[in-house]
Amino acid sequence: MKNLRNLTLASGMALLITAICMTLLAITNKENSPTLYRILVLLGGDVVNGGYIQGLTYLAFIWAWFEVREKLTVIARERRAFKLNLIPTSEKHVFMPQDVNQLKFKLIEFEKKEKYILSDLLKKACTKFRTSGSLSELIDIVSIQVEVSQEKAEGDQSVIRYLTWVIPSLGFIGTVIGISQSLIYANSGDMEKITSLLGVAFDTTLVALVLSVFLMWFVHQLQEETDRFHSDLKEFVIDNLINKIEIQ
């Protein structure tokens, strides 16, 4: 449902951008303002002659941006759990085996109100220690759970990865369409029409590549935040739970 909502918002914004370019192009005099006219054509204002490709590119870019922003918001929310005092963080604090059981019951009560990846990880770690009593097995289960969480996060980003591939592909599709249409008029001698179609071919690729550059920055930012969060997650549990358990 969130993907559908983001797609709907992106569609509206892409249509708005295209409509603005079309309107400005319609009221711009080509002879008096050739530079502005050319820029508006580049941005997809001439929808009839190929500007729809830029419109689709805007749609993919804005949709991907919404998806990235949503994933970053989720990570920011999950990071709040580090400051909720789910577990004592004092360096002097020591957990006895019975304290681990009490911590699990505390986490169960906490998750009745709200749930975080950290609270779930701590709860599973407490359960594993209660059943095995082994710190080495506890470290293993924490590592496995963090890896599972990271794989789920990467799986949720599949739409973003698809859209980062779609954007340059749309640009190349526009190039193929523009060149193929210009070849149709190659024997007509209408150089203005041929030049216009070749302009469409290169404009679509240029817009797509520029948007890809911006999008990839956001995508790498998301990947960095995802990796750092899961690294901090594992470090937090090891430092504040595993390293403080005293086995009798």
Side-chain angles (χ1 to χ4, degrees), residues 88-239:
T89 56
S90 172
E91 293 183 0
K92 297 180 180 180
H93 190 87
V94 175
F95 284 101
M96 304 303 290
Q98 59 271 22
D99 295 332
V100 176
N101 290 332
Q102 293 175 2
L103 175 61
K104 179 183 177 180
F105 295 139
K106 174 187 174 182
L107 292 167
I108 291 174
E109 289 299 317
F110 173 82
E111 288 190 336
K112 290 180 180 179
K113 299 178 182 178
E114 53 185 338
K115 190 172 182 179
Y116 294 88
I117 294 175
L118 177 60
S119 63
D120 185 60
L121 180 59
L122 288 169
K123 186 180 65 176
K124 289 177 179 177
C126 291
T127 301
K128 183 62 179 179
F129 180 75
R130 187 178 64 176
T131 56
S132 68
S134 170
L135 291 181
S136 61
E137 292 186 17
L138 183 55
I139 294 175
D140 289 340
I141 193 65
V142 168
S143 299
I144 292 172
Q145 289 299 321
V146 170
E147 289 176 4
V148 169
S149 176
Q150 190 163 7
E151 289 174 359
K152 287 181 179 179
E154 292 176 354
D156 290 338
Q157 297 172 17
S158 59
V159 172
I160 298 173
R161 288 194 295 272
Y162 173 72
L163 291 172
T164 57
W165 171 83
V166 163
I167 291 175
S169 297
L170 286 172
F172 293 136
I173 289 173
T175 299
V176 172
I177 291 175
I179 292 175
S180 62
Q181 289 181 339
S182 66
L183 290 175
I184 296 175
Y185 291 89
N187 295 325
S188 66
D190 189 350
M191 293 305 299
E192 183 176 354
K193 183 67 174 178
I194 295 173
T195 303
S196 175
L197 291 172
L198 288 175
V200 170
F202 295 110
D203 288 349
T204 53
T205 299
L206 177 60
V207 170
L209 292 177
V210 170
L211 292 180
S212 292
V213 170
F214 283 104
L215 179 59
M216 288 307 298
W217 187 87
F218 290 114
V219 171
H220 280 88
Q221 190 86 358
L222 173 60
Q223 187 62 54
E224 182 180 353
E225 288 296 323
T226 301
D227 293 342
R228 184 185 295 121
F229 167 69
H230 287 92
S231 177
D232 292 345
L233 190 68
K234 184 176 180 179
E235 183 179 13
F236 183 90
V237 176
I238 291 175
D239 290 346

